[in-house]
Amino acid sequence: LGVSLDEETSEVGPFVEKHALNYPVLVSQGHPPAGYRLPGIPTAFLVSREGEIKRRYFGPQTYETFARDLDALLAAEPPSMLK
């Protein structure tokens, strides 16, 4: 999930298309979502299957960093059983 802090929402769609983003982008119109501390941009979060923030990333990160941390999280957390 991406979060746009742009106040001008008309710019978000073209940005998503230009960069071929393959994930949803929330438009928050200048205000970060409640509960998320954003000390700067870019900020990224690794979120568990249960919606818990497991890791925060401040500043640009590499694909390898995200892949390593995601692999570790998936190995540590077996999928929840559907009820």
Side-chain angles (χ1 to χ4, degrees):
L1 173 66
V3 178
S4 168
L5 298 178
D6 293 300
E7 292 185 16
E8 183 57 50
T9 60
S10 64
E11 298 174 8
V12 177
F15 178 88
V16 169
E17 289 179 21
K18 177 181 177 183
H19 296 283
L21 301 182
N22 63 354
Y23 50 84
V25 176
L26 170 71
V27 178
S28 63
Q29 297 183 325
H31 304 286
Y36 288 80
R37 295 174 303 183
L38 301 178
I41 298 174
T43 300
F45 300 90
L46 181 60
V47 181
S48 72
R49 290 180 174 101
E50 287 72 32
E52 180 182 350
I53 297 173
K54 293 294 190 175
R55 180 114 191 220
R56 290 177 173 84
Y57 304 90
F58 306 115
Q61 303 295 317
T62 64
Y63 171 85
E64 290 77 16
T65 296
F66 289 125
R68 179 197 65 222
D69 293 348
L70 180 59
D71 288 345
L73 178 64
L74 292 173
E77 292 191 5
S80 300
M81 298 299 293
L82 295 177
K83 295 180 181 179

